[in-house]
Amino acid sequence: MRTIWNGSISFGLVNIPVGMALATKPAARESDVSFRMLHRECLTPIKNKRWCPEHDREVSNDEIVKGWEVAKGQFVVVEEADLEALSTADDSRTIAITRFVELSEVDPIYFDRTYFLAPAEAAAQRRPYVLLLEAMKESGMAAVGKFVRQGAEHFCLIRPKGDALALETLFLAEDVRSQAEIEEAVQEVEVKEAELELARQVIASLVADFDPEELTSDYRRDLRALLEAKLAGEEIVAPEPVEEKAPVVDLMEALRASVADVQKSKKPAAKKTKAASSDGSRKRVATRK
C-alpha cells in the first residue's frame, strides 16, 4: 500500500510505527471524468488570467498578496511570511493520542476524510499495531488525537476497521452547524400510533444487509457511455422524459401505498426462490443472487 505520510502512534510510553494511506481514490469527491474549458470555435483550452481591473492588465504571481476583507473594499494584507510564522513547526511525525472514547459516542458528522494506517514492514514492529487493534476491537473504543502534516494541525480519530486501523480526520466543533433549529421544529409535531405502526412496517419491509457494491453511480456509467459514443462518432439521442407519479398528499395513504409497493416487488423474488428449491444447483444460484 502506497503511503503518503510515515510516522508513529504515540500514547504514554507506547510508540507504534505506522504509514498513512488514502482510503479513497483522490477523485472520490468528484466524477472520474474531468473536463477542460475549450473555445468552441477552435477547441483550444481556455486560460484563466489574473486580471487587475484597476490597472486594466494581467498581473503576475509575484504581484499578488492575500487580503482579508474587513469591510466593503477594505482589506488587511497578509504576507506569506505571516502565515508561515503561524504554521506548526512540528517534525516529530507523531500521532499523539490524548484519550480513548467509545466509538459509538462519536457522531460521524465530525468525520472529514478517511485514511488507512499501515503497520511497519518489519514483523517485530507489527506486534504493537496488532495489540492496539485487538484491544480496541474488544473494548469498542476509539482513540482521539492530533498530528501535524505539512505544517497544518489535524485532529483525528483512530478506529478499528476489520483487521486494520483507520484514521478519520475530524472537523472542529465550530465547523459543525447546530441542529437545534431542526430539533425545535420537530418537537412541535405529534404523530399518531397508527401512522407510526405503518412507518415501522415500511422500514421492516426494506431491512437488508449493507452492501457497498450497490453504491454505483448511474451518472458516471451514463457519462462514460456518452463519451465513448461521441468518440465513436455515434449520434446522441436524448432519452424520453419519464413521467413521474403525482405525490401522495395524505400521510396514511402514502404509508399504505409504500407497504403495498414493497410487498408487490418482493413477490416475484419469492416465487423464483421457491421454484429453485426443487433443484439443488438452482437453489445455490438463487442464493448467490
Side-chain angles (χ1 to χ4, degrees):
M1 179 175 289
R2 181 178 176 273
T3 58
I4 60 173
W5 183 91
N6 291 284
S8 62
I9 299 172
S10 173
F11 59 99
L13 299 177
V14 180
N15 195 277
I16 306 174
V18 291
M20 187 185 299
L22 288 169
T24 54
K25 296 178 181 178
R29 299 183 180 185
E30 307 168 2
S31 170
D32 57 347
V33 175
S34 59
F35 295 102
R36 295 283 302 276
M37 298 297 107
L38 311 177
H39 183 193
R40 182 182 292 275
E41 183 178 335
C42 59
L43 301 184
T44 301
I46 298 300
K47 293 183 178 180
N48 292 322
K49 293 184 178 182
R50 300 188 175 191
W51 194 265
C52 175
E54 177 69 22
H55 292 86
D56 195 27
R57 66 176 178 86
E58 185 179 0
V59 294
S60 58
N61 287 336
D62 58 0
E63 296 180 273
I64 297 174
V65 295
K66 290 184 172 70
W68 175 47
E69 190 170 13
V70 293
K72 184 68 173 179
Q74 297 181 3
F75 299 89
V76 173
V77 174
V78 180
E79 302 288 351
E80 289 298 330
D82 298 328
L83 298 177
E84 289 176 5
L86 291 177
S87 64
T88 307
D90 184 349
D91 57 358
S92 63
R93 289 185 167 269
T94 299
I95 304 171
I97 293 177
T98 57
R99 68 186 62 192
F100 288 90
V101 299
E102 290 188 14
L103 180 57
S104 59
E105 289 184 356
V106 185
D107 195 312
I109 198 172
Y110 289 96
F111 293 174
D112 179 18
R113 188 157 195 175
T114 306
Y115 298 84
F116 287 128
L117 293 178
E121 293 184 3
Q125 293 182 318
R126 293 181 182 178
R127 186 176 181 84
Y129 179 99
V130 176
L131 182 62
L132 176 62
L133 170 64
E134 293 301 323
M136 292 173 71
K137 286 169 64 174
E138 289 183 7
S139 62
M141 305 296 280
V144 176
K146 61 181 180 179
F147 65 99
V148 174
R149 179 168 172 251
Q150 297 178 342
E153 182 184 50
H154 300 275
F155 287 88
C156 65
L157 179 130
I158 299 173
R159 63 181 177 88
K161 186 180 185 301
D163 289 331
L165 289 175
L167 180 145
E168 308 280 353
T169 53
L170 301 176
F171 289 113
L172 301 180
E174 63 186 47
D175 296 331
V176 177
R177 291 176 174 171
S178 171
Q179 62 193 50
E181 186 177 343
I182 299 174
E183 292 176 346
E184 184 179 348
V186 168
Q187 289 173 358
E188 299 174 356
V189 180
E190 293 185 3
V191 295
K192 298 177 181 178
E193 181 58 33
E195 296 171 338
L196 191 58
E197 179 56 33
L198 276 174
R200 293 192 192 105
Q201 291 181 34
V202 174
I203 293 172
S205 63
L206 293 172
V207 169
D209 293 332
F210 173 69
D211 182 6
E213 295 299 323
E214 294 180 350
L215 304 179
T216 58
S217 171
D218 292 342
Y219 173 78
R220 286 191 181 186
R221 179 202 62 201
D222 296 342
L223 178 58
R224 291 191 202 105
L226 169 70
L227 295 174
E228 290 171 3
K230 280 184 168 290
L231 187 62
E234 299 177 12
E235 182 181 355
I236 308 301
V237 180
E240 293 293 330
V242 179
E243 184 177 347
E244 297 183 359
K245 295 181 180 179
V248 181
V249 178
D250 184 77
L251 180 58
M252 291 293 287
E253 184 181 344
L255 289 169
R256 291 192 189 97
S258 299
V259 173
D261 285 346
V262 172
Q263 291 175 346
K264 187 186 300 181
S265 65
K266 282 189 173 183
K267 285 182 179 179
K271 289 180 180 178
K272 186 175 182 180
T273 305
K274 185 176 181 181
S277 63
S278 61
D279 181 82
S281 59
R282 286 185 180 178
K283 187 175 182 179
R284 284 192 292 273
V285 172
T287 303
R288 281 201 300 271
K289 289 182 180 179

